[in-house]
Structure formats: structure tokens, C-alpha cells
Amino acid sequence: MSLIPQFSDVKAVYFDLDDTLCAYWDAAKYGLRRAFNDHPEHGYTEEQLLAQWSIAFREFVETIGKTHWYEKYLTSGEITRAELMRRTLERLGIYDDELAYRLSHTYHVERQAALILFDEALPVIKVLAPDYHLGLITNGPADIQRQEIEKLQIAEYFPHVFIEGEMGFGKPNPKVFELAQESVGVEPHEILFVGNSYKHDFLPALEAGWRTAWIRRDSDVAPSSRTGKPEEKPEDGPEPDITIYSLNDLIA
Ligand SMILES: [Mg+2]
């Protein structure tokens, strides 16, 4: 079996990881709820904590690239994750670094334990692996992304792995796509990128001259989401080669 006919000249397929191959936001939501419930000393409900965490998360994500936190975030998820919990508690008038650390630790452990591949991901990867160069391009801290790949047991299928934390820069930086192209040694139009983020996956891949599949899933909603809905395509934004709702849609 191979890719659908419209991708007949494709020789390499890169996948995004979180919410493309695995249900990251579902795992994150579960981990947060466990953390807030397992350490009730904060005296607030799970919903109250989640609401404050969401605000702290949005503020942090908006500025992290421009602050000293980015350097820390690249190598280890722990420091910024604990800082986010500290800020969450601070928003409720709680100044307790030790509690913030315990919340952060439980969140991490439970999130990693709950992380699973989407049902169709492994069968699709196995179908493609013998005939295509396969790779991963994923944003996030080096240690966390490596742990995810290990937990999901998919390393053997992906000889080409590009992680933001290891490179020091991530999607949508065009350098990421240049390095990934060099690694597989084929022309840009012979590479297909499959990702869930319109801005961080699809747009830069299109810029790089790659073929594109935008995967949209109902579960692709961050705990900090304001709308409760997956990312929308901007009205006048370019169209991906294909918009899919399951990885099975890539297979002929
Ligand atoms: Mg993703």
C-alpha cells in the first residue's frame, strides 16, 4: 500500500507528533485534573485551578520566546512547567513553591502515562515505513519530546527526527524545514508534511515547497483554549493539498 495517488511523487513523509500522531491535549487535560485533585491543599476546585492555569499558560506561551525562560524550556520541561504552576497558584494568592513543584510533578507523570497514539497512527506508519523516508518534526523541550517518542514506542520507524529543544529553534522557523529536507536528500516537492497546526505545521511546510496534509481532530483543543474548538483556517489563508480527519485518509 502507498500514499493516495495525488502524492504519487512523494518520497519522504514527515509527521508532527503532538495531536497529529498522539493525543497530547487529551493527556494534558487528564494530567492537570489529576494534579489538581491529588494535591487539594490549595483549597480550590479543579475547575478554578484549571481556569487560572489556562490564563497563566496563555501569558507564558505568548512571551516565552522573548525571555530567558526559552533557553530553560528547550532542554527541560520541568523548570517552565513548575514556573507555570507557581504562577497559577500566585493568581489565587497562594505563594507556595513546594506545592507548585508537587502539582507540576504529578501533572508531568500523569500526562506522560496517559499519552497514547491515535488508533490508526501505528498501522499507517507501518504501511508507509518500508517505502518512504519517515521523519518527525516536533516542537517542545528536548527531554519531553524524547520521552514521548519512547513512551509511544515509535523511534524505530523514524530515522529522521527534528526536535525544537535539540535544535534551539522550532517550527515555523524555515531552518527546520531546510535541515529536514537535507536529511532525507530529496526535492522539496517530494516531501509530504502531515501536521495538525495550520500556523506551525502547514504554513511553513508550504513556504518550503513541500506537499501538505492538514489533519483536523475533534480532540485538538488545548486546555487553555478560549473557544473550546480546534484551530480554524484563516478566511483568506492558503489551502493545504489535502485536509484530513484521520491518518487513514493518506493511504490508498
Ligand atoms: Mg501538533
Side-chain angles (χ1 to χ4, degrees):
M1 279 192 285
S2 57
L3 291 169
I4 53 175
Q6 87 178 95
F7 295 131
S8 59
D9 52 349
V10 164
K11 294 176 178 156
V13 186
Y14 276 100
F15 290 88
D16 163 64
L17 182 57
D18 292 331
D19 293 295
T20 294
L21 295 180
C22 65
Y24 179 81
W25 287 134
D26 277 352
K29 285 172 191 162
Y30 174 78
L32 285 170
R33 289 183 185 282
R34 281 295 299 268
F36 297 145
N37 277 314
D38 287 1
H39 306 281
E41 307 90 287
H42 45 71
Y44 288 87
T45 66
E46 181 188 306
E47 303 305 328
Q48 287 170 318
L49 264 287
L50 197 56
Q52 296 309 317
W53 182 90
S54 296
I55 296 169
F57 179 86
R58 289 197 297 261
E59 286 176 0
F60 204 42
V61 167
E62 274 165 31
T63 57
I64 189 169
K66 305 174 193 103
T67 66
H68 70 286
W69 291 107
Y70 187 60
E71 215 175 301
K72 298 181 176 75
Y73 167 83
L74 288 174
T75 50
S76 156
E78 183 182 347
I79 301 168
T80 48
R81 193 174 55 242
E83 171 64 11
L84 203 45
M85 284 298 178
R86 197 191 63 74
R87 293 185 189 188
T88 301
L89 293 176
E90 200 176 87
R91 296 186 60 83
L92 293 162
I94 302 167
Y95 300 87
D96 187 339
D97 288 2
E98 203 268 333
L99 176 59
Y101 179 80
R102 280 187 285 129
L103 286 168
S104 166
H105 183 71
T106 301
Y107 168 43
H108 167 63
V109 170
E110 297 296 342
R111 185 189 69 201
Q112 292 298 105
L115 190 70
I116 53 170
L117 290 170
F118 289 109
D119 286 345
E120 84 281 15
L122 195 57
V124 168
I125 292 164
K126 283 182 174 175
V127 160
L128 298 177
D131 299 316
Y132 298 87
H133 303 287
L134 293 190
L136 294 172
I137 303 179
T138 177
N139 281 1
D143 63 338
I144 298 297
Q145 295 303 311
R146 286 289 169 189
Q147 285 167 26
E148 285 190 20
I149 292 167
E150 193 178 331
K151 163 83 201 319
L152 299 169
Q153 298 182 296
I154 52 174
E156 64 181 292
Y157 303 104
F158 296 101
H160 310 273
V161 176
F162 294 86
I163 298 174
E164 179 185 21
E166 293 176 352
M167 294 183 287
F169 50 88
K171 299 174 286 186
N173 190 325
K175 277 195 286 182
V176 175
F177 295 81
E178 285 165 25
L179 288 174
Q181 188 208 329
E182 276 171 29
S183 182
V184 289
V186 303
E187 295 298 312
H189 72 272
E190 294 171 328
I191 308 174
L192 170 64
F193 192 49
V194 186
N196 69 306
S197 168
Y198 187 89
K199 285 194 200 104
H200 291 106
D201 296 328
F202 160 62
L203 281 182
L206 178 74
E207 260 327 279
W210 293 15
R211 313 298 301 280
T212 53
W214 183 32
I215 184 151
R216 311 195 66 191
R217 297 183 185 276
D218 292 341
S219 65
D220 187 4
V221 179
S224 59
S225 167
R226 281 195 181 90
T227 63
K229 289 185 195 149
E231 182 185 15
E232 292 290 336
K233 185 178 98 60
E235 244 171 62
D236 48 1
E239 288 285 345
D241 286 313
I242 184 174
T243 298
I244 59 175
Y245 300 88
S246 158
L247 296 168
N248 286 326
D249 299 341
L250 294 170
I251 304 295

